[in-house]
Amino acid sequence: PVVLTGEPKKFDPDFKGPIQNRGCTDIVCCIFFIVAIVGYVAVGILAWTHGDPRKVIYPTDSMGQYCGQGKLEKKPLLFYFNMMKCASPMVLLEFQCPTPQVCVEKCPDRTMTLVTAFLTNLFWLLVKFSKFFLPQILQEKLCPAYLISSKPFLQRCFPSLGKKGEVITVGDQETFNDGDKIRDAKDLVAGMKNATIVMEGRQVAMKIFEDYTKSWYWILICLLIAVVVSLIFIVLLRYLAGIMVWVMIVMVIAVFAYGIVHCSIKYVNLKDTPGANITLQQLGFQPDFSVYLHIRQTWLAFIIILAILEVIIIIVLIFLRNRIRIAVELMKEASRAVGYVMSSLFYPIFTFFLLTIVIAYWGVTAVFLSTSSEPVYKVFNETVCPHARETCIPENFTLSNMKRDCPRSECLFAFYGGETPYHKYLIFLQFYNVFLFFWCANFVTALGQMTLAGAFASYYWAPNKPNDMPAFPLCASLGRSLRYHTGSLAFGSLILAIIQIIRVLLEYIDHKLKGAENKFAKFLLCCLKCCFWCLEKFIKFMNRNAYIMVAIYGKNFCRSARDAFFLLMRNVIRVVVLDKVTDFILFLGKLLIVGLVGIFAFFFFSGHTDAFKGAAPSLHYYWVPILTVLVGSYLIAHGFFSVYAMCVDTLFLCFLEDLERNDGSPERPYLMSENLLNVLKKKNQAN
């Protein structure tokens, strides 16, 4: 081995693999983590006590009441007295317009003014529209100056804009009366432009949701197929690791080759099709993504991407052809270890369950924290007023000095906020929520890594397999990790969480500086983001190997990380060749599973095969279930193969330790399998 620092470990006559007489490690960090979790629970309780998610779900009228809730249960829509005062629909979605608002049963279906209603003596019409008036304004005989034909959107009444040729209309009219003068309907376009974009996005989202309702059971079937295929691969790797590795390599190359041929056929068939030769830039963004499949340039891009990936894979395999045999033997050893600890294949389900709890707790706490504010009312005025935008109290506003000084002013709901100490520190509570989310998520991942490492290490260091292994190696390893090494897990995950929160802050700063013209600041920020990205990757690599060493020897985190680092550096050539080649082979296995299931999903949902036309559901976008199946299949394959990857990494560190501690003599025999001894050209001497 290449010695970078220190000497390889000397022979320890008492060493028998993972030590059993362990002690608690990193106790201080364990206590700190427990205190942080208790604080996290307290923050959640505080948020749930003060928060009210209805503030972001339901619109709020000028009195701070929720439309569609309580006594306004039958009035779910919000009506604005003067839509012209709303700068844009985004203001309507995020803030309050400076105009009276009231909850109504339905939006007005015609355009007219109050004066017109009186002149035509349509008293019944006034009674019909009386539900749009605020009670206080009605008592003072004040009403909306005009009503515009509207349609409900996001529980709010938006003007019904249309077109007659090239002329924009509202309620089938080209003009409307705002009570003072005749306005063109196009004056409402500026206020409705963003709402149209949001509406189109909402329509696409509704179509996607409808596609999911029609295809969800077929998606589950495809994902179940991915589980079955993954299990078949695991079983075949157990007994036919060498053959399966070569089969995976050949089939991945074949899948990419088929993709290139299929895209080429599509590209050629669209040659004489009208409109197929326009560029993607000319086409622009289209909500219907199937339009892109009728463009030749789309298929050309697919051909180039697949060809590049195919060439890269072939070149890598050519250069590593002499090392594949070593990787195959390492896979065989990992297959035997997984075979003795079959329950490890399902451990990712437990990790996923814990991560789901962490994500759900963070999400719910974040929502309740963001809605932990109180309604704030401001003075809105149409004439000059010294009290404009001052805080007011609606209950006694009519008798206040503000109303006396500004007779035409109103006390309307403005936003949710607050001036109490709790509200002032909400931003810090949100930061604490995000930081603990990263810490807990990393802790759960670390627990899974150490548990699997302990189980596979017990396999490697058992002289007589499986007789010398624990009865339930996975449960025993999980118990050791939680009982003795919670502090080490918290320590490693804390370091990673700090780096991740710094990356989040850098992304936030970058978002704020997008419009800045300081080139040096942008360059410096880009360098910092790159450096911390690299640092996060390095820390993840070191943490993974440190957890393996903790699982083997039971030492604290820092010492385990140091031992793992120097052990890897002393064997850096083997690390690059064996470990990474194995990772590459596992990655090819993931691609193969995703490719096989993805091809099946494509032919099924697209209806390009006659055999599936009767069974396939009718969808707006058939790419929706296909993408879902691809992502789900990759996650499933990653879950199964991550166990293999952890097994390979653990066995790799174990046999590096074995090589340094032992020499094959009767007093110091190698504990690795005969196959690994043959690959490494080592052997144990007879007694």
Side-chain angles (χ1 to χ4, degrees):
V2 178
V3 180
L4 296 185
T5 181
E7 295 292 335
K9 295 178 177 61
K10 302 299 182 182
F11 173 66
D12 181 1
D14 298 326
F15 178 74
K16 297 180 181 179
I19 58 177
Q20 302 300 322
N21 298 325
R22 294 172 180 254
C24 295
T25 56
D26 300 298
I27 299 176
V28 175
C29 195
C30 178
I31 296 174
F32 185 46
F33 181 66
I34 294 174
V35 172
I37 292 296
V38 173
Y40 198 20
V41 173
V43 169
I45 295 174
L46 190 65
W48 300 337
T49 303
H50 292 80
D52 188 355
R54 293 182 302 175
K55 296 174 183 177
V56 295
I57 299 176
Y58 303 103
T60 307
D61 66 6
S62 295
M63 302 306 297
Q65 304 175 100
Y66 304 119
C67 297
Q69 293 292 299
K71 62 181 181 180
L72 299 177
E73 182 179 359
K74 296 182 179 181
K75 299 180 178 181
L77 303 174
L78 188 67
F79 174 76
Y80 297 86
F81 273 33
N82 189 353
M83 180 63 70
M84 301 296 293
K85 291 188 177 182
C86 299
S88 71
M90 296 310 295
V91 174
L92 302 180
L93 299 177
E94 299 178 8
F95 307 97
Q96 293 291 327
C97 286
T99 182
Q101 302 143 50
V102 63
C103 299
V104 298
E105 293 181 14
K106 63 177 184 178
C107 298
D109 55 4
R110 66 185 67 186
T111 301
M112 71 180 311
T113 65
L114 180 64
V115 175
T116 304
F118 273 111
L119 292 178
T120 55
N121 197 24
L122 297 178
F123 177 77
W124 65 271
L125 195 58
L126 289 176
V127 174
K128 178 180 178 182
F129 284 136
S130 64
K131 56 193 170 188
F132 300 107
F133 308 154
L134 281 170
Q136 293 82 353
I137 297 178
L138 183 60
Q139 292 174 6
E140 298 176 13
K141 298 182 179 181
L142 298 176
C143 305
Y146 65 96
L147 297 175
I148 295 181
S149 177
S150 305
K151 291 182 179 179
F153 174 64
L154 294 177
Q155 298 178 280
R156 293 162 173 83
C157 294
F158 285 87
S160 303
L161 295 182
K163 270 191 175 184
K164 285 184 178 180
E166 297 297 326
V167 180
I168 296 176
T169 62
V170 55
D172 296 329
Q173 301 295 323
E174 299 177 9
T175 61
F176 68 95
N177 192 327
D178 68 351
D180 294 328
K181 61 180 180 179
I182 303 298
R183 289 182 176 270
D184 292 332
K186 65 181 182 180
D187 293 342
L188 292 169
V189 173
M192 294 297 297
K193 185 176 181 181
N194 290 335
T196 303
I197 297 175
V198 175
M199 188 178 298
E200 290 179 353
R202 185 170 181 263
Q203 291 174 350
V204 173
M206 292 302 296
K207 289 182 179 179
I208 292 175
F209 178 77
E210 185 179 350
D211 287 343
Y212 275 123
T213 59
K214 293 181 179 179
S215 61
W216 65 269
Y217 47 92
W218 294 110
I219 294 175
L220 290 180
I221 292 174
C222 290
L223 295 180
L224 182 61
I225 293 175
V227 172
V228 173
V229 173
S230 299
L231 284 174
I232 291 174
F233 267 81
I234 295 298
V235 173
L236 291 176
L237 282 173
R238 171 68 177 89
Y239 299 101
L240 303 170
I243 298 175
M244 287 302 301
V245 167
W246 290 108
V247 168
M248 282 192 293
I249 293 173
V250 173
M251 290 190 69
V252 166
I253 296 175
V255 167
F256 276 94
Y258 172 79
I260 295 172
V261 172
H262 180 80
C263 295
S264 300
I265 294 174
K266 289 288 186 180
Y267 179 77
V268 173
N269 291 340
L270 290 173
K271 181 178 180 180
D272 299 324
T273 304
N277 291 318
I278 66 173
T279 63
L280 294 174
Q281 185 177 5
Q282 293 173 336
L283 182 63
F285 174 76
Q286 299 293 329
D288 187 1
F289 290 93
S290 62
V291 174
Y292 295 103
L293 299 179
H294 299 284
I295 307 300
R296 297 188 75 202
Q297 196 176 77
T298 302
W299 295 104
L300 179 61
F302 289 159
I303 293 172
I304 294 173
I305 293 172
L306 292 175
I308 292 174
L309 292 176
E310 181 87 329
V311 171
I312 291 175
I313 292 175
I314 293 175
I315 291 176
V316 170
L317 291 175
I318 290 174
F319 278 97
L320 298 178
R321 65 187 186 279
N322 294 328
R323 304 292 181 177
I324 291 179
R325 178 174 171 268
I326 302 176
V328 168
E329 295 301 329
L330 195 57
M331 289 289 295
K332 288 181 179 179
E333 188 68 15
S335 299
R336 283 187 285 270
V338 172
Y340 285 119
V341 194
M342 286 297 294
S343 57
S344 61
L345 292 175
F346 303 97
Y347 186 84
I349 299 176
F350 178 67
T351 300
F352 176 77
F353 173 73
L354 294 180
L355 284 176
T356 302
I357 295 176
V358 172
I359 294 172
Y361 185 88
W362 163 77
V364 172
T365 303
V367 170
F368 275 85
L369 281 175
S370 62
T371 58
S372 295
S373 48
E374 299 174 348
V376 176
Y377 301 87
K378 296 285 186 179
V379 176
F380 292 95
N381 56 291
E382 296 185 2
T383 59
V384 178
C385 177
H387 304 292
R389 300 301 185 270
E390 290 185 9
T391 304
C392 58
I393 302 175
E395 287 78 9
N396 58 8
F397 180 72
T398 55
L399 303 176
S400 65
N401 295 332
M402 296 180 180
K403 183 67 173 179
R404 186 178 63 252
D405 297 339
C406 307
R408 299 189 63 180
S409 64
E410 297 166 305
C411 183
L412 304 178
F413 171 77
F415 55 85
Y416 288 104
E419 297 297 330
T420 65
Y422 170 74
H423 297 104
K424 290 181 180 179
Y425 290 102
L426 272 178
I427 184 65
F428 297 102
L429 295 179
Q430 285 282 23
F431 179 83
Y432 185 78
N433 183 35
V434 174
F435 179 73
L436 261 294
F437 164 72
F438 283 124
W439 196 357
C440 293
N442 291 325
F443 180 87
V444 170
T445 304
L447 177 62
Q449 292 174 345
M450 185 178 292
T451 300
L452 292 173
F456 295 129
S458 65
Y459 160 83
Y460 185 92
W461 297 110
N464 299 312
K465 304 174 181 62
N467 297 330
D468 293 337
M469 293 175 59
F472 302 97
L474 194 66
C475 294
S477 179
L478 177 61
R480 286 197 305 269
S481 300
L482 291 175
R483 180 179 179 182
Y484 298 109
H485 307 305
T486 299
S488 298
L489 294 170
F491 194 1
S493 54
L494 173 62
I495 297 173
L496 191 56
I498 292 174
I499 296 173
Q500 289 172 336
I501 202 70
I502 292 175
R503 289 194 63 200
V504 170
L505 293 175
L506 290 175
E507 291 292 342
Y508 176 77
I509 296 173
D510 184 40
H511 176 73
K512 289 296 183 182
L513 294 179
K514 279 190 179 298
E517 298 181 357
N518 192 328
K519 302 296 183 181
F520 177 76
K522 291 183 177 180
F523 172 76
L524 181 61
L525 188 61
C526 183
C527 292
L528 288 174
K529 289 169 61 178
C530 180
C531 291
F532 276 96
W533 180 85
C534 296
L535 181 61
E536 180 182 356
K537 296 299 180 183
F538 175 75
I539 293 299
K540 283 184 177 180
F541 174 77
M542 287 308 305
N543 281 5
R544 183 183 180 92
N545 289 283
Y547 297 143
I548 295 174
M549 299 299 284
V550 172
I552 296 175
Y553 297 108
K555 300 176 182 177
N556 61 50
F557 177 82
C558 291
R559 186 173 178 182
S560 298
R562 185 199 64 183
D563 292 344
F565 177 77
F566 288 128
L567 178 62
L568 294 174
M569 289 300 100
R570 289 194 297 268
N571 299 272
V572 63
I573 303 300
R574 289 194 178 112
V575 172
V576 174
V577 174
L578 291 180
D579 195 38
K580 298 311 169 186
V581 168
T582 307
D583 289 343
F584 177 70
I585 293 174
L586 293 177
F587 177 70
L588 293 183
K590 297 177 190 177
L591 287 184
L592 179 58
I593 293 174
V594 173
L596 292 175
V597 180
I599 291 174
F600 172 78
F602 173 77
F603 283 114
F604 180 82
F605 290 109
S606 65
H608 290 176
T609 304
D610 295 335
F612 297 136
K613 282 187 176 180
S618 177
L619 305 174
H620 297 287
Y621 311 115
Y622 67 82
W623 53 264
V624 170
I626 293 175
L627 288 180
T628 305
V629 168
L630 288 176
V631 174
S633 300
Y634 179 80
L635 293 177
I636 291 172
H638 177 74
F640 282 103
F641 282 96
S642 64
V643 175
Y644 251 84
M646 197 67 204
C647 181
V648 170
D649 290 345
T650 302
L651 298 182
F652 183 63
L653 282 181
C654 286
F655 88 74
L656 289 181
E657 284 283 301
D658 196 4
L659 287 174
E660 290 195 353
R661 288 181 173 275
N662 303 308
D663 58 5
S665 63
E667 296 80 15
R668 296 159 55 186
Y670 294 115
L671 295 178
M672 67 185 71
S673 66
E674 291 295 329
N675 290 329
L676 276 178
L677 285 174
N678 294 333
V679 169
L680 298 172
K681 298 180 180 180
K682 304 284 185 180
K683 64 179 181 178
N684 284 321
Q685 301 175 10
N687 290 327

